[in-house]
Amino acid sequence: MLALQYKKSVPRYLLMRAGAKRIKGLDTSRLSPLQLEEVPEPELPTPDWVRVKPLLSGICGSDLGTLSAQNSPYFSPLTSPPFVMGHEILGEVVEDNGGFFAGERVVVEPALVCRVRGIEPPCAYCASGRYALCVNVAKGDIAPGIQTGFCGDTGGGWSEGTLVAHPSQLHRVPENVPDEAAVAVEPLACAVHAALEVAPEPDETALVIGAGNVGLFVVAALRQLTRSGRIICVAKHERQKQEALRLGADEVVHPSETYGELSKALGAEVYRPELGKPVVMGGGDKVFECVGAPGTIEDAVRLTRPGGEVALVGMPGARSCLDLTALWHGEVKLAGAYAYGVEEYEGERVKSFELALRIAPEIKLASLVGPRFRLRGYREAVAAARSSGRNGHVKIVFDHRNNS
């Protein structure tokens, strides 16, 4: 099958790390660890696994970080290259198995956790429903990998062939959720988890820094699923601003006004030291950092009121030099919000993915997806994903439908 496969190579990794930001297209060139190749179809690890044909597959910020070698090497031992990339996946079941039937549309929940790996008893995190924190992602029936798309045994969404998934990873797509919405359910589920983990109250101000797909989905999840009062979003581009307002933000501020209009909107006072960023007295109650850059992480801490809370939703890069004096001085709580799990929502325990599928029609999720690219156009697709914000796009995807 034709697929985009990532092969581990220390020299190529170092080349990407040194040059991908400076040389346009280097991360998809013949020197990249990513190559378009014919690879074997993955085998079913156990008889109950399900074979799925990808229909649409998204390009995530973590994928871009992998290609440019900007991600932390932290995850390196938790992957098993060579692997077919792509973890945001809408697919079609190929043959009856595992309680699913050929032709059914499914969204793949990519976390490769204890149940998926056949590990009994499960670790404490999986048993409690916080399975994204599974400590057994390098054990069990399949090769190491935190998610589908980073595991050599499962395949991934950037393929014209098939991948394999455990039945517990599959969610049937309701008829009222179109393909273009379903492919974005995985990042929306991450936003659902972050919003419910922090859960601002009606008298609190939530600040969302960043309005790429992660930030916009956090705005939507806050408005749809929490009792959050005022929501302010920091958005750089016009399309991002308009979508943030549509999805539920009360106000949108440009990043250039972080220590100007934004600070005023938060009711905070700004003091300027001789060196470094301004000192903010006051700030937001709950702050969601959705970029993952050192500068915006530091901004998030500085813009949080004393005793407030910061959630890191965007994936931090490997190069993070931060001044966290404001964290210490303001007794600010700083925590990660990673992936998804089982949420406590209105008296029920329900998966983040299920909540994401519920709200997808309400927020017109499909309107945020596109343009679409064929797999052979992957160089153009990756370039489009890197420039999506300034070009007025939110989620770039590969389209495998109707392949000849």
Side-chain angles (χ1 to χ4, degrees), residues 2 47 58 64 71 101 116 131 188 217 250 279 314 362 366 397 399:
L2 191 66
L64 298 178
N71 287 352
F101 301 98
V116 175
Y131 48 82
L188 179 58
F217 294 166
D250 298 291
V279 176
E362 298 294 324
V397 299
D399 189 344

Side-chain angles (χ1 to χ4, degrees), residues 12-94:
R12 292 189 182 209
Y13 172 86
L14 294 175
L15 176 62
M16 296 304 113
R17 193 170 178 82
K21 282 192 170 183
R22 290 179 285 182
I23 303 173
K24 185 177 181 180
L26 182 65
D27 57 349
T28 53
S29 71
R30 61 182 180 83
L31 300 175
S32 170
L34 182 77
Q35 296 296 321
L36 184 65
E37 297 180 341
E38 288 289 337
V39 301
E41 302 263 353
E43 298 181 0
L44 297 178
T46 63
D48 59 332
W49 280 57
V50 181
R51 190 169 296 280
V52 176
K53 176 177 173 52
L55 300 176
L56 293 171
S57 185
I59 301 176
C60 174
S62 64
D63 297 325
L64 298 178
T66 297
L67 296 183
S68 62
Q70 299 306 303
N71 287 352
S72 169
Y74 173 95
F75 287 111
S76 177
L78 306 180
T79 64
S80 50
F83 51 76
V84 177
M85 293 187 66
H87 63 275
E88 300 177 357
I89 305 161
L90 163 72
E92 181 179 83
V93 175
V94 174

Side-chain angles (χ1 to χ4, degrees), residues 236-299:
K236 188 175 184 179
H237 303 289
E238 183 61 26
R239 169 83 188 277
Q240 294 174 339
K241 174 182 177 180
Q242 296 305 321
E243 293 294 353
L245 292 169
R246 180 183 72 82
L247 292 168
D250 298 291
E251 301 165 59
V252 178
V253 179
H254 191 273
S256 63
E257 293 295 332
T258 295
Y259 295 101
E261 291 301 318
L262 176 56
S263 298
K264 291 180 183 178
L266 293 171
E269 294 186 11
V270 176
Y271 298 85
R272 299 188 181 276
E274 293 83 357
L275 296 172
K277 292 189 174 187
V279 176
V280 180
M281 293 287 104
D285 299 288
K286 304 289 175 63
V287 178
F288 298 81
E289 198 287 326
C290 299
V291 180
T296 50
I297 293 173
E298 188 172 329
D299 290 338

